[in-house]
Amino acid sequence: MSSHSHQTTSSFAALARLLRYARGYRRQIIAATTCSIINKLFDIAPEILIGVAIDVVVNQEESFVAGLGFETAQEQITILAVLTFFIWAGESLFEYLFQILWRNLAQRLQSDLRQDAYEHAQRLDMSFFEARSSGQLVATMNDDVNQLERFLDGGANAMIQVLVTVVAVGAVFFVLSPLIALLAFTPIPLIIWGAFYFQRKAGPLYADVREKVGDLSSRLANNLGGIATIKSFTAEQREAKRSERKQRSLRGGQPPGHPHQLCVYSGDPDGHSGRLPGHLHGGGHDGP
């Protein structure tokens, strides 16, 4: 098993290899990424409009909107209502578009990757198959490829939208109050370090689970292929108990129940414990 640092590096290397493999779908990737970015910008805009609306109520004829040529408070509220309608409509439209684009891309890449993996497996020497169980190979070409589809269907969009949120919201903070922006971004390096730390801890657990899944798949395939033999020797109960032991071993090694995984999901994934106190402290000392 490789070292922890190699596992982290291999994750980025795998993502780079995936992008190289998908270069034939560059237009679809760019279109889906663009829709995800625009959708997130529309998603952030209502929070900005709330601040603009408060500015209208407080300052009225001297508000930011008034400087754009809408002098009365009624005109300003009306333009904000129109903007709100178009923002929500745009968000819904681009959410629909990125879901369609990412899903179609995921299904096409899944089909291509599974076919290429099968064709590659056929060209390998027999020594390769002798060193591995059929269950491990089936798990790789089926379960792992399905995981890739799930990543493209939801994970890629989530990564892009998190990045857009950090950049867009950070830019707004730096324009309005550099002190609050600095305090908000202070815990981010610690959060990133913690994420990679627990990923390295959970990596060996996932590798162990993948091996057990392959063994279980191989056993189930062999039992179903030899079901006539099992029935002829009335060995159903014995094989059922052996399968149950494999299932228990698999459940016992699942990473989601491990403390390292729980630290990531139930800890502070968004960094609120660091950012919110910073906002309160900065907001209390950055006023007039």
Side-chain angles (χ1 to χ4, degrees):
M1 186 176 295
S2 58
S3 64
H4 292 164
S5 60
H6 176 69
Q7 290 171 358
T8 303
T9 304
S10 64
S11 297
F12 291 103
L15 181 59
R17 291 180 62 187
L18 174 62
L19 293 176
R20 289 195 300 269
Y21 179 82
R23 60 182 178 271
Y25 295 95
R26 185 173 300 173
R27 291 184 179 179
Q28 292 90 326
I29 293 175
I30 293 175
T33 301
T34 302
C35 290
S36 296
I37 293 174
I38 297 175
N39 169 261
K40 195 59 186 180
L41 293 176
F42 276 127
D43 184 55
I44 296 173
E47 283 74 12
I48 300 177
L49 286 183
I50 291 175
V52 175
I54 294 175
D55 179 59
V56 169
V57 173
V58 174
N59 297 319
Q60 297 186 3
E61 286 80 6
E62 298 180 357
S63 66
F64 171 78
V65 181
L68 300 178
F70 303 95
E71 298 180 355
T72 66
Q74 184 64 36
E75 291 178 346
Q76 297 175 37
I77 294 297
T78 301
I79 193 63
L80 289 179
V82 173
L83 287 175
T84 301
F85 171 79
F86 282 106
I87 285 172
W88 286 111
E91 180 185 2
S92 300
L93 173 63
F94 282 97
E95 181 176 0
Y96 170 78
L97 291 176
F98 82 65
Q99 287 182 349
I100 292 294
L101 290 171
W102 282 118
R103 191 160 301 163
N104 289 341
L105 177 64
Q107 292 175 352
R108 292 176 181 178
L109 271 178
Q110 178 195 36
S111 177
D112 291 348
L113 187 59
R114 183 178 288 115
Q115 181 63 27
D116 290 343
Y118 175 73
E119 293 179 1
H120 176 72
Q122 287 188 132
R123 294 191 295 268
L124 296 174
D125 295 332
M126 286 304 301
S127 59
F128 175 85
F129 297 96
E130 293 171 355
R132 292 166 178 82
S133 67
S134 59
Q136 291 176 338
L137 298 177
V138 171
T140 299
M141 289 190 288
N142 188 45
D143 297 342
D144 291 353
V145 174
N146 289 338
Q147 290 287 348
L148 173 63
E149 181 192 16
R150 282 189 282 272
F151 166 74
L152 292 173
D153 195 12
N157 172 72
M159 292 173 57
I160 293 170
Q161 295 208 345
V162 167
L163 179 61
V164 173
T165 300
V166 171
V167 174
V169 175
V172 173
F173 277 171
F174 275 108
V175 170
L176 298 179
S177 176
L179 176 59
I180 293 180
L182 181 62
L183 293 173
F185 280 87
T186 297
I188 289 182
L190 180 62
I191 295 170
I192 295 176
W193 174 85
F196 282 112
Y197 173 79
F198 289 113
Q199 180 189 26
R200 290 195 299 268
K201 292 294 184 180
L205 301 176
Y206 278 106
D208 182 60
V209 168
R210 296 303 303 131
E211 183 177 357
K212 291 180 179 179
V213 168
D215 293 340
L216 179 60
S217 299
S218 180
R219 174 167 295 279
L220 292 176
N222 291 336
N223 284 3
L224 291 176
I227 191 66
T229 303
I230 294 175
K231 287 182 174 294
S232 63
F233 286 93
T234 63
E236 292 89 345
Q237 292 296 326
R238 184 188 65 187
E239 293 300 326
K241 290 181 179 179
R242 294 176 66 181
S243 176
E244 184 180 3
R245 285 195 297 269
K246 286 287 185 180
Q247 294 282 2
R248 289 178 179 175
S249 175
L250 179 60
R251 289 199 303 267
Q254 287 285 3
H258 195 276
H260 295 140
Q261 186 77 6
L262 296 177
C263 285
V264 175
Y265 285 98
S266 63
D268 191 17
D270 295 325
H272 294 306
S273 61
R275 290 189 290 111
L276 293 181
H279 291 172
L280 294 175
H281 177 79
H285 291 80
D286 197 39

